[in-house]
mmCIF file of all heavy atoms in Angstrom:
data_model
loop_
_atom_site.group_PDB
_atom_site.id
_atom_site.type_symbol
_atom_site.label_atom_id
_atom_site.label_comp_id
_atom_site.label_asym_id
_atom_site.label_seq_id
_atom_site.Cartn_x
_atom_site.Cartn_y
_atom_site.Cartn_z
ATOM 1 N N ASN G 1 -92.760 -99.893 41.450
ATOM 2 C CA ASN G 1 -93.483 -100.217 40.223
ATOM 3 C C ASN G 1 -93.627 -101.717 40.041
ATOM 4 O O ASN G 1 -93.310 -102.283 38.994
ATOM 5 C CB ASN G 1 -92.785 -99.590 39.017
ATOM 6 C CG ASN G 1 -93.628 -99.637 37.763
ATOM 7 O OD1 ASN G 1 -94.855 -99.712 37.828
ATOM 8 N ND2 ASN G 1 -92.973 -99.616 36.603
ATOM 9 N N LEU G 2 -94.120 -102.355 41.071
ATOM 10 C CA LEU G 2 -94.221 -103.807 41.060
ATOM 11 C C LEU G 2 -95.204 -104.298 40.006
ATOM 12 O O LEU G 2 -96.230 -103.666 39.738
ATOM 13 C CB LEU G 2 -94.624 -104.312 42.434
ATOM 14 C CG LEU G 2 -93.485 -104.298 43.454
ATOM 15 C CD1 LEU G 2 -94.037 -104.359 44.872
ATOM 16 C CD2 LEU G 2 -92.535 -105.464 43.196
ATOM 17 N N LYS G 3 -94.870 -105.441 39.444
ATOM 18 C CA LYS G 3 -95.669 -106.079 38.422
ATOM 19 C C LYS G 3 -96.096 -107.461 38.895
ATOM 20 O O LYS G 3 -95.495 -108.029 39.802
ATOM 21 C CB LYS G 3 -94.871 -106.204 37.120
ATOM 22 C CG LYS G 3 -94.309 -104.898 36.602
ATOM 23 C CD LYS G 3 -93.431 -105.126 35.385
ATOM 24 C CE LYS G 3 -92.865 -103.832 34.863
ATOM 25 N NZ LYS G 3 -91.995 -104.045 33.678
ATOM 26 N N ALA G 4 -97.107 -107.997 38.251
ATOM 27 C CA ALA G 4 -97.600 -109.309 38.627
ATOM 28 C C ALA G 4 -96.504 -110.359 38.541
ATOM 29 O O ALA G 4 -96.452 -111.283 39.365
ATOM 30 C CB ALA G 4 -98.784 -109.703 37.746
ATOM 31 N N GLU G 5 -95.624 -110.230 37.569
ATOM 32 C CA GLU G 5 -94.557 -111.204 37.401
ATOM 33 C C GLU G 5 -93.492 -111.129 38.487
ATOM 34 O O GLU G 5 -92.600 -111.976 38.537
ATOM 35 C CB GLU G 5 -93.907 -111.070 36.020
ATOM 36 C CG GLU G 5 -93.443 -109.663 35.697
ATOM 37 C CD GLU G 5 -94.435 -108.892 34.854
ATOM 38 O OE1 GLU G 5 -95.647 -108.992 35.134
ATOM 39 O OE2 GLU G 5 -94.014 -108.197 33.913
ATOM 40 N N ASP G 6 -93.567 -110.127 39.358
ATOM 41 C CA ASP G 6 -92.673 -110.059 40.498
ATOM 42 C C ASP G 6 -93.129 -110.944 41.646
ATOM 43 O O ASP G 6 -92.404 -111.098 42.629
ATOM 44 C CB ASP G 6 -92.543 -108.615 40.998
ATOM 45 C CG ASP G 6 -91.900 -107.689 39.976
ATOM 46 O OD1 ASP G 6 -90.907 -108.104 39.337
ATOM 47 O OD2 ASP G 6 -92.382 -106.554 39.832
ATOM 48 N N THR G 7 -94.317 -111.490 41.545
ATOM 49 C CA THR G 7 -94.837 -112.359 42.594
ATOM 50 C C THR G 7 -93.941 -113.580 42.755
ATOM 51 O O THR G 7 -93.701 -114.317 41.800
ATOM 52 C CB THR G 7 -96.266 -112.793 42.274
ATOM 53 O OG1 THR G 7 -97.126 -111.651 42.277
ATOM 54 C CG2 THR G 7 -96.769 -113.797 43.293
ATOM 55 N N ALA G 8 -93.443 -113.783 43.961
ATOM 56 C CA ALA G 8 -92.523 -114.881 44.228
ATOM 57 C C ALA G 8 -92.159 -114.871 45.702
ATOM 58 O O ALA G 8 -92.464 -113.923 46.429
ATOM 59 C CB ALA G 8 -91.253 -114.747 43.382
ATOM 60 N N VAL G 9 -91.502 -115.930 46.121
ATOM 61 C CA VAL G 9 -90.841 -115.934 47.410
ATOM 62 C C VAL G 9 -89.448 -115.366 47.203
ATOM 63 O O VAL G 9 -88.704 -115.836 46.335
ATOM 64 C CB VAL G 9 -90.763 -117.344 48.014
ATOM 65 C CG1 VAL G 9 -89.987 -117.324 49.326
ATOM 66 C CG2 VAL G 9 -92.162 -117.902 48.243
ATOM 67 N N TYR G 10 -89.100 -114.378 47.987
ATOM 68 C CA TYR G 10 -87.819 -113.705 47.857
ATOM 69 C C TYR G 10 -86.874 -114.161 48.953
ATOM 70 O O TYR G 10 -87.238 -114.195 50.133
ATOM 71 C CB TYR G 10 -87.995 -112.188 47.919
ATOM 72 C CG TYR G 10 -88.534 -111.606 46.631
ATOM 73 C CD1 TYR G 10 -89.849 -111.826 46.252
ATOM 74 C CD2 TYR G 10 -87.723 -110.848 45.786
ATOM 75 C CE1 TYR G 10 -90.348 -111.318 45.068
ATOM 76 C CE2 TYR G 10 -88.214 -110.333 44.606
ATOM 77 C CZ TYR G 10 -89.522 -110.562 44.246
ATOM 78 O OH TYR G 10 -90.012 -110.047 43.070
ATOM 79 N N PHE G 11 -85.659 -114.489 48.559
ATOM 80 C CA PHE G 11 -84.630 -114.962 49.460
ATOM 81 C C PHE G 11 -83.419 -114.042 49.406
ATOM 82 O O PHE G 11 -83.108 -113.481 48.359
ATOM 83 C CB PHE G 11 -84.147 -116.366 49.072
ATOM 84 C CG PHE G 11 -85.217 -117.415 49.026
ATOM 85 C CD1 PHE G 11 -85.987 -117.590 47.890
ATOM 86 C CD2 PHE G 11 -85.435 -118.240 50.112
ATOM 87 C CE1 PHE G 11 -86.966 -118.564 47.830
ATOM 88 C CE2 PHE G 11 -86.407 -119.222 50.071
ATOM 89 C CZ PHE G 11 -87.171 -119.380 48.928
ATOM 90 N N CYS G 12 -82.729 -113.921 50.513
ATOM 91 C CA CYS G 12 -81.409 -113.332 50.483
ATOM 92 C C CYS G 12 -80.390 -114.439 50.707
ATOM 93 O O CYS G 12 -80.666 -115.444 51.371
ATOM 94 C CB CYS G 12 -81.243 -112.207 51.509
ATOM 95 S SG CYS G 12 -81.517 -112.661 53.231
ATOM 96 N N ALA G 13 -79.228 -114.264 50.119
ATOM 97 C CA ALA G 13 -78.184 -115.269 50.208
ATOM 98 C C ALA G 13 -76.824 -114.602 50.125
ATOM 99 O O ALA G 13 -76.690 -113.495 49.602
ATOM 100 C CB ALA G 13 -78.335 -116.306 49.086
ATOM 101 N N VAL G 14 -75.818 -115.298 50.623
ATOM 102 C CA VAL G 14 -74.470 -114.754 50.699
ATOM 103 C C VAL G 14 -73.462 -115.723 50.113
ATOM 104 O O VAL G 14 -73.529 -116.936 50.354
ATOM 105 C CB VAL G 14 -74.095 -114.418 52.161
ATOM 106 C CG1 VAL G 14 -72.586 -114.232 52.314
ATOM 107 C CG2 VAL G 14 -74.822 -113.165 52.629
ATOM 108 N N ASP G 15 -72.537 -115.182 49.340
ATOM 109 C CA ASP G 15 -71.308 -115.876 48.980
ATOM 110 C C ASP G 15 -70.260 -115.371 49.956
ATOM 111 O O ASP G 15 -69.810 -114.228 49.852
ATOM 112 C CB ASP G 15 -70.910 -115.570 47.538
ATOM 113 C CG ASP G 15 -69.621 -116.256 47.113
ATOM 114 O OD1 ASP G 15 -68.827 -116.674 47.982
ATOM 115 O OD2 ASP G 15 -69.387 -116.370 45.892
ATOM 116 N N GLY G 16 -69.886 -116.198 50.912
ATOM 117 C CA GLY G 16 -68.962 -115.786 51.948
ATOM 118 C C GLY G 16 -67.511 -115.785 51.531
ATOM 119 O O GLY G 16 -66.653 -115.435 52.346
ATOM 120 N N ILE G 17 -67.211 -116.162 50.312
ATOM 121 C CA ILE G 17 -65.833 -116.257 49.843
ATOM 122 C C ILE G 17 -65.446 -115.069 48.985
ATOM 123 O O ILE G 17 -64.410 -114.438 49.202
ATOM 124 C CB ILE G 17 -65.611 -117.566 49.074
ATOM 125 C CG1 ILE G 17 -65.864 -118.763 49.992
ATOM 126 C CG2 ILE G 17 -64.205 -117.613 48.489
ATOM 127 C CD1 ILE G 17 -65.820 -120.093 49.288
ATOM 128 N N SER G 18 -66.262 -114.756 47.990
ATOM 129 C CA SER G 18 -65.938 -113.694 47.042
ATOM 130 C C SER G 18 -67.006 -112.622 47.050
ATOM 131 O O SER G 18 -68.198 -112.930 47.047
ATOM 132 C CB SER G 18 -65.802 -114.257 45.634
ATOM 133 O OG SER G 18 -65.648 -113.214 44.687
ATOM 134 N N PRO G 19 -66.607 -111.349 47.033
ATOM 135 C CA PRO G 19 -67.581 -110.267 46.977
ATOM 136 C C PRO G 19 -68.046 -109.917 45.573
ATOM 137 O O PRO G 19 -68.947 -109.088 45.418
ATOM 138 C CB PRO G 19 -66.821 -109.083 47.593
ATOM 139 C CG PRO G 19 -65.412 -109.318 47.157
ATOM 140 C CD PRO G 19 -65.230 -110.819 47.198
ATOM 141 N N TRP G 20 -67.445 -110.508 44.559
ATOM 142 C CA TRP G 20 -67.778 -110.165 43.179
ATOM 143 C C TRP G 20 -69.214 -110.525 42.868
ATOM 144 O O TRP G 20 -69.679 -111.614 43.188
ATOM 145 C CB TRP G 20 -66.838 -110.859 42.203
ATOM 146 C CG TRP G 20 -65.404 -110.513 42.404
ATOM 147 C CD1 TRP G 20 -64.433 -111.315 42.913
ATOM 148 C CD2 TRP G 20 -64.773 -109.261 42.095
ATOM 149 N NE1 TRP G 20 -63.239 -110.654 42.945
ATOM 150 C CE2 TRP G 20 -63.407 -109.387 42.454
ATOM 151 C CE3 TRP G 20 -65.216 -108.058 41.564
ATOM 152 C CZ2 TRP G 20 -62.496 -108.354 42.289
ATOM 153 C CZ3 TRP G 20 -64.303 -107.018 41.407
ATOM 154 C CH2 TRP G 20 -62.968 -107.179 41.764
ATOM 155 N N CYS G 21 -69.895 -109.620 42.201
ATOM 156 C CA CYS G 21 -71.288 -109.825 41.833
ATOM 157 C C CYS G 21 -71.499 -110.025 40.336
ATOM 158 O O CYS G 21 -72.635 -110.212 39.901
ATOM 159 C CB CYS G 21 -72.144 -108.655 42.297
ATOM 160 S SG CYS G 21 -72.522 -108.665 44.071
ATOM 161 N N GLY G 22 -70.427 -109.978 39.568
ATOM 162 C CA GLY G 22 -70.571 -110.094 38.130
ATOM 163 C C GLY G 22 -71.219 -111.384 37.671
ATOM 164 O O GLY G 22 -71.894 -111.420 36.639
ATOM 165 N N ASN G 23 -71.026 -112.441 38.419
ATOM 166 C CA ASN G 23 -71.611 -113.733 38.066
ATOM 167 C C ASN G 23 -72.673 -114.140 39.074
ATOM 168 O O ASN G 23 -72.814 -115.325 39.403
ATOM 169 C CB ASN G 23 -70.529 -114.808 37.963
ATOM 170 C CG ASN G 23 -69.864 -115.114 39.288
ATOM 171 O OD1 ASN G 23 -69.895 -114.298 40.208
ATOM 172 N ND2 ASN G 23 -69.261 -116.295 39.387
ATOM 173 N N PHE G 24 -73.437 -113.176 39.548
ATOM 174 C CA PHE G 24 -74.429 -113.479 40.581
ATOM 175 C C PHE G 24 -75.569 -114.338 40.068
ATOM 176 O O PHE G 24 -76.371 -114.835 40.860
ATOM 177 C CB PHE G 24 -74.948 -112.190 41.232
ATOM 178 C CG PHE G 24 -75.983 -111.441 40.437
ATOM 179 C CD1 PHE G 24 -77.309 -111.419 40.848
ATOM 180 C CD2 PHE G 24 -75.627 -110.738 39.304
ATOM 181 C CE1 PHE G 24 -78.261 -110.701 40.137
ATOM 182 C CE2 PHE G 24 -76.568 -110.019 38.585
ATOM 183 C CZ PHE G 24 -77.886 -110.005 39.004
ATOM 184 N N TYR G 25 -75.649 -114.516 38.753
ATOM 185 C CA TYR G 25 -76.645 -115.416 38.188
ATOM 186 C C TYR G 25 -76.336 -116.881 38.475
ATOM 187 O O TYR G 25 -77.224 -117.731 38.330
ATOM 188 C CB TYR G 25 -76.749 -115.206 36.675
ATOM 189 C CG TYR G 25 -77.243 -113.848 36.277
ATOM 190 C CD1 TYR G 25 -76.352 -112.852 35.865
ATOM 191 C CD2 TYR G 25 -78.595 -113.545 36.315
ATOM 192 C CE1 TYR G 25 -76.801 -111.603 35.493
ATOM 193 C CE2 TYR G 25 -79.049 -112.284 35.941
ATOM 194 C CZ TYR G 25 -78.150 -111.325 35.532
ATOM 195 O OH TYR G 25 -78.606 -110.077 35.165
#
């Protein structure tokens, strides 16, 4: 259900130290 506002360059990235995602912002 993609929207126009989804238009962007998408990146993947890794935190190699901690697996916690609670503060992924």
Side-chain angles (χ1 to χ4, degrees):
N1 192 24
L2 284 161
K3 305 175 180 180
E5 53 262 42
D6 296 318
T7 295
V9 177
Y10 283 71
F11 302 85
C12 59
V14 164
D15 179 341
I17 298 174
S18 173
W20 301 108
C21 283
N23 66 338
F24 79 108
Y25 296 100

